[in-house]
Amino acid sequence: MLDKTLTIGGEQTATAGTFAVHNPSTGAVVAQVPNATEDTLNAAVAAAKAAFPAWAATPDGERQEICRKIAGVIGAHAEELATLLTQEQGKPLNGLGSRWEVGGAQGWAGYTAELSLPVKVLQDDDNGLVTLERRPLGVVGSITPWNFPLMIAIWHVVPALRTGNTVVIKPSPNTPLATLKLVELLNEILPAGVLNIVTGDDKAVNLGALMSAHPDIRKIIFTGSCATGQKVMQSAAPTMKRLTLEMGGNDAGIVLPDADPQAIAEGLFWGAFINNGQTCAAMKRLYVHDSIHDAVCDALVAYARNIPVGDGMDEGSILGPVQNQMQFDKFKRLVDSAKVNGQVLLGGEAGEGLFFPPTIIAGLKNGDPLVDEEQFGPALPIIRYTDVEQALADANALETGLGGSIWSRDIAAARALAARMECGSVWINKHGAIQPNAPFGGRKQSGMGVEFGEEGLLEYTDIQVVFS
Ligand code: NAD
């Protein structure tokens, strides 16, 4: 079993208390992890605050050079990080699992290191020089979820560091291991105090809540559920923290009558079941036109049947278990409720431990809990429609607005309909594909602000206008 320490001010730091991290595939304890107190958090914030002036004053090119090295560090330790991820998260090493996630983290780090925010000249004439410049904020608090812990850590940390901020990161209690290792490794290339980590079990002490209210943290970058994001916003108000909130979704896909069921089956499956459905922008509701409804269901079920589900450490597994008991219980309740009105086309019954096979349920509609609530597990409800305007209205009816997709052979018609979906990203004939040069964020209650690209980088800065 592993014993992990925190990295605070460049030092490996133990705490009096620890908590256990379990492997969702087996239930075994993988590691004991520091259970930080409020004092531990204060020490981490103080270290980040002390490191800020020198890091902010480091010439941009030098900071960029250090950020470039982050991708190399991830690449050099890829297998170790992937193994930790599989052990704590449950996702398989293979498929769109932990090796893929580590590769994504490396790619995002490399791309983000190359971004920069040059000074904008607003005016340069006889009346004077006016420039718009970007200043780092100070200490950034990063709060991450358990579904893609390593990739999301990189999404938070690299733009913050690139723009001259220092960071305290707090991973989910369910998945702290790969992030602890990442921060330890990155401290070999970063000045002490620039990147610090705290972990806790969210029981006696809720570190995320303390971070959101902390007077010395200038911004929170949060990825997690809508309910927790709302709490972050509330507790951030008294200190006017900058916020980027990447929250839950309940993405709809709409299959138009001209789509080819065989051609889209694979894309539909992975759009919905990537990471076992535990993906913020996975397709969680599928509206299919009556004329091809049965053919789409048949093609999807035929594809889904052959996906190997098993222990993430087994090289043959492509999907793993649900990550934790709370999520499993919520997911099972939603699937059970769907059996009342729906027809189970595949799966539907829990397996051993936290395993649940890919589940496809037809005959549902808006108002059914599996359609209305974010299930965050391996199930896809299918809703039959006859009027595309009604399907669009149903897709837009919920308060969330993260992603959406249209499936059709007519790309122009699909793009026109896509523009009317109330969500931050919309895809044609695919779902959930994200890339580091395309800003990603939620509309409506799925969040505020964006990550990635120049727009994402801007969120780690304040504007200063200089007049001379
Ligand atoms: P969660 O909201 O339960 O936890 C997220 C993080 O918040 C954890 O680190 C947790 O410890 C911390 N936290 C708990 N209480 C807090 C508080 N009061 N104040 C501040 N932080 C607190 O989410 P989760 O279950 O870990 O992740 C699943 C959710 O995340 C889903 O809803 C999913 O859609 C969402 N998500 C969104 C995105 C996105 O980019 N929009 C990406 C991944 C996941």
Side-chain angles (χ1 to χ4, degrees):
M1 191 175 52
L2 300 164
D3 278 313
K4 306 298 285 182
T5 45
L6 303 175
T7 309
I8 295 179
E11 302 290 332
Q12 291 308 299
T13 309
T15 54
T18 61
F19 66 98
V21 175
H22 296 267
N23 180 336
S25 289
T26 62
V29 174
V30 188
Q32 287 291 334
V33 168
N35 201 10
T37 61
E38 185 166 4
D39 285 347
T40 325
L41 171 66
N42 287 339
V45 175
K49 190 178 174 184
F52 174 67
W55 183 245
T58 301
D60 191 65
E62 252 176 68
R63 260 201 327 255
Q64 181 169 44
E65 206 41 56
I66 296 179
C67 287
R68 281 189 180 123
K69 290 186 185 151
I70 293 177
V73 169
I74 297 170
H77 296 270
E79 195 59 18
E80 182 183 3
L81 290 167
T83 303
L84 286 171
L85 255 183
T86 291
Q87 287 174 333
E88 63 181 343
Q89 210 286 338
K91 64 181 67 188
L93 291 165
N94 290 321
L96 300 174
S98 54
R99 289 181 180 130
W100 179 82
E101 180 172 344
V102 172
Q106 186 179 356
W108 249 272
Y111 181 87
T112 308
E114 298 307 324
L115 294 173
S116 46
L117 298 175
V119 169
K120 260 192 196 167
V121 177
L122 302 180
Q123 182 184 323
D124 185 7
D125 59 21
D126 294 346
N127 295 320
L129 175 64
V130 183
T131 52
L132 186 158
E133 310 195 12
R134 293 279 168 178
R135 306 287 178 233
L137 302 168
V139 179
V140 169
S142 148
I143 302 175
T144 57
W146 49 258
N147 58 347
F148 288 93
L150 190 83
M151 190 146 71
I152 292 175
I154 285 296
W155 292 352
H156 291 189
V157 165
V158 181
L161 299 182
R162 177 71 194 89
T163 43
N165 303 280
T166 55
V167 177
V168 175
I169 186 169
K170 190 211 80 62
S172 162
N174 295 312
T175 53
L177 300 180
T179 315
L180 281 161
K181 186 70 203 173
L182 176 76
V183 172
E184 183 189 327
L185 291 169
L186 295 186
N187 265 265
E188 291 170 12
I189 56 167
L190 289 165
V194 167
L195 176 60
N196 310 275
I197 182 164
V198 289
T199 53
D201 65 3
D202 278 359
K203 290 188 178 143
V205 176
N206 187 315
L207 295 168
L210 292 173
M211 288 167 74
S212 310
H214 202 292
D216 288 334
I217 293 182
R218 297 301 317 138
K219 174 192 171 86
I220 294 287
I221 162 79
F222 168 85
T223 306
S225 62
C226 292
T228 311
Q230 288 166 3
K231 289 185 195 159
V232 170
M233 198 170 182
Q234 278 171 346
S235 41
T239 49
M240 286 302 288
K241 281 186 181 52
R242 305 296 179 266
L243 293 176
T244 302
L245 302 174
E246 296 289 359
M247 287 140 70
N250 194 344
D251 292 8
I254 302 178
V255 180
L256 299 184
D258 72 336
D260 174 350
Q262 293 299 331
I264 64 175
E266 182 176 359
L268 287 174
F269 180 82
W270 287 113
F273 290 89
I274 177 173
N275 206 32
N276 225 12
Q278 303 167 120
T279 304
C280 53
M283 191 166 63
K284 301 202 171 77
R285 308 174 275 154
L286 183 62
Y287 297 83
V288 184
H289 191 266
D290 180 50
S291 60
I292 56 167
H293 174 275
D294 294 356
V296 169
C297 290
D298 289 349
L300 193 50
V301 167
Y303 185 85
R305 244 184 230 301
N306 294 320
I307 302 297
V309 179
D311 186 326
M313 293 301 288
D314 180 340
E315 296 279 350
S317 300
I318 295 298
L319 290 178
V322 175
Q323 203 280 328
N324 61 73
Q325 192 68 49
M326 206 206 300
Q327 189 59 45
F328 183 91
D329 293 343
K330 177 185 173 196
F331 175 76
K332 186 171 179 312
R333 170 180 65 78
L334 289 172
V335 169
D336 286 345
S337 75
K339 291 179 191 166
V340 177
N341 295 327
Q343 297 96 48
V344 177
L345 304 181
L346 186 71
E349 296 299 330
E352 291 282 301
L354 294 176
F355 283 93
F356 209 108
T359 292
I360 297 172
I361 304 185
L364 297 175
K365 58 183 181 341
N366 279 40
D368 288 320
L370 187 64
V371 177
D372 282 7
E373 293 183 40
E374 183 193 36
Q375 72 268 30
F376 224 61
L380 182 64
I382 300 192
I383 304 112
R384 186 194 289 262
Y385 75 87
T386 47
D387 173 10
V388 71
E389 287 299 325
Q390 186 58 49
L392 182 67
D394 287 347
N396 285 337
L398 304 183
E399 285 309 321
T400 48
L402 195 55
S405 57
I406 307 287
W407 303 73
S408 168
R409 287 186 237 223
D410 182 344
I411 305 299
R415 286 189 75 101
L417 196 62
R420 296 168 62 204
M421 291 190 95
E422 295 168 0
C423 50
S425 302
V426 64
W427 295 275
I428 313 297
N429 294 329
K430 56 188 164 188
H431 195 116
I434 51 172
Q435 50 192 56
N437 60 349
F440 174 75
R443 288 168 65 187
K444 303 202 279 188
Q445 291 186 19
S446 286
M448 54 190 293
V450 292
E451 297 187 89
F452 316 158
E454 190 180 303
E455 288 83 354
L457 211 56
L458 291 173
E459 301 216 358
Y460 292 86
T461 65
D462 274 339
I463 287 176
Q464 185 177 51
V465 180
V466 184
F467 302 81
S468 64

